[in-house]
Amino acid sequence: MIRINLIGTEKKDIREAVPETAVKAREKKKLQLGPLIFIVLALAIVAIYMMQKKQLNQEEELLAQAQAQKNQLQDVLSKLDQLEQQKNILDRKISLIQQLQSQQIVAVTIMDVLSKTLPEWVWLTEVSYRNQSIQIKGKGLSNTLIADYMTNLKNNPNIAEISLISTNQRTVRNDQYVEFAMSARYNSPEIPATIPEKPQTGGQQ
């Protein structure tokens, strides 16, 4: 007599059918997670790109600001250079004017000395001054008067090293006179130092 256990077979089929369903479910779940992971990765990449682009834009703005400041500084430095050049030109002009003024003062002083020491019947025709050296040309009725003029110049403390260069006798329409040329050195007068006032001792009652 042959027996067939149908119950055991059904149970076995059910047990074998359950894993196949689970496998399909897992595969379906994997299929559903795949696009989701791709989307997440794509969003992450887009977010990173946007952050990097934002940082790049910020750095470009900072670079543009730095370049603008550099250009402004270059303009300022250029203007300062121009002002410095103008200042140097003005300083040279002021120095030249002061030098000319000092020479004018010296020239006036020299002419005053030379004219005050002239004897009668002696007159000057040309005077030049350079580097403390005086060149004098003039006329006189005689050599004696010219010698007197040299003596008067020697007596002046600001005139030194007087030297007679030449004398020539001239006759014009029966009038005789002597042309002369001499040189001298002008010593600028020393400015006396100011003596400080002594402080008063004791107070007034």
Side-chain angles (χ1 to χ4, degrees):
M1 181 176 170
I2 300 172
R3 293 180 181 180
I4 299 172
N5 190 356
L6 297 176
I7 298 174
T9 304
E10 291 176 356
K11 290 181 179 180
K12 186 177 180 180
D13 293 338
I14 292 172
R15 284 196 298 267
E16 291 177 353
V18 170
E20 185 178 356
T21 305
V23 170
K24 290 182 178 180
R26 284 195 297 269
E27 290 178 354
K28 185 177 181 181
K29 187 176 182 180
K30 288 181 180 179
L31 292 174
Q32 292 176 352
L33 289 175
L36 182 61
I37 293 172
F38 176 77
I39 293 173
V40 172
L41 290 175
L43 291 176
I45 292 172
V46 171
I48 294 172
Y49 171 76
M50 295 300 294
M51 291 177 61
Q52 290 180 348
K53 185 177 180 181
K54 183 178 180 180
Q55 292 178 354
L56 182 61
N57 291 335
Q58 291 177 352
E59 291 178 356
E60 289 178 350
E61 290 179 359
L62 292 175
L63 181 61
Q65 292 176 1
Q67 187 66 34
Q69 292 178 354
K70 180 181 178 181
N71 294 334
Q72 291 178 355
L73 289 176
Q74 287 179 347
D75 292 340
V76 172
L77 291 175
S78 178
K79 291 180 180 179
L80 288 176
D81 189 23
Q82 292 178 358
L83 291 175
E84 185 67 21
Q85 293 177 358
Q86 293 177 358
K87 178 179 177 297
N88 292 334
I89 293 173
L90 290 176
D91 289 341
R92 288 196 294 269
K93 289 182 178 180
I94 291 172
S95 177
L96 179 60
I97 291 172
Q98 290 176 347
Q99 184 179 1
L100 291 175
Q101 288 179 344
S102 63
Q103 290 179 355
Q104 287 178 353
I105 295 173
V106 172
V108 171
T109 304
I110 290 173
M111 289 304 301
D112 183 62
V113 172
L114 295 181
S115 60
K116 284 183 178 180
T117 53
L118 276 173
E120 291 185 1
W121 306 111
V122 176
W123 59 95
L124 302 179
T125 58
E126 183 179 342
V127 176
S128 62
Y129 171 76
R130 184 177 182 181
N131 296 330
Q132 293 186 324
S133 177
I134 308 172
Q135 301 296 323
I136 305 169
K137 292 183 180 180
K139 298 177 182 179
L141 292 185
S142 66
N143 288 323
T144 303
L145 293 175
I146 296 172
D148 292 341
Y149 182 46
M150 294 179 64
T151 301
N152 294 340
L153 290 175
K154 290 178 181 179
N155 292 331
N156 190 288
N158 296 327
I159 305 296
E161 300 178 6
I162 302 169
S163 176
L164 183 63
I165 298 174
S166 64
T167 58
N168 294 314
Q169 188 77 32
R170 301 290 185 185
T171 302
V172 177
R173 295 180 182 179
N174 297 326
D175 292 332
Q176 294 183 351
Y177 62 89
V178 179
E179 288 183 345
F180 67 89
M182 66 178 65
S183 64
R185 183 169 61 85
Y186 177 74
N187 296 325
S188 299
E190 296 182 356
I191 300 175
T194 57
I195 302 175
E197 296 182 359
K198 295 182 178 179
Q200 296 180 358
T201 59
Q204 296 182 354
Q205 298 293 332

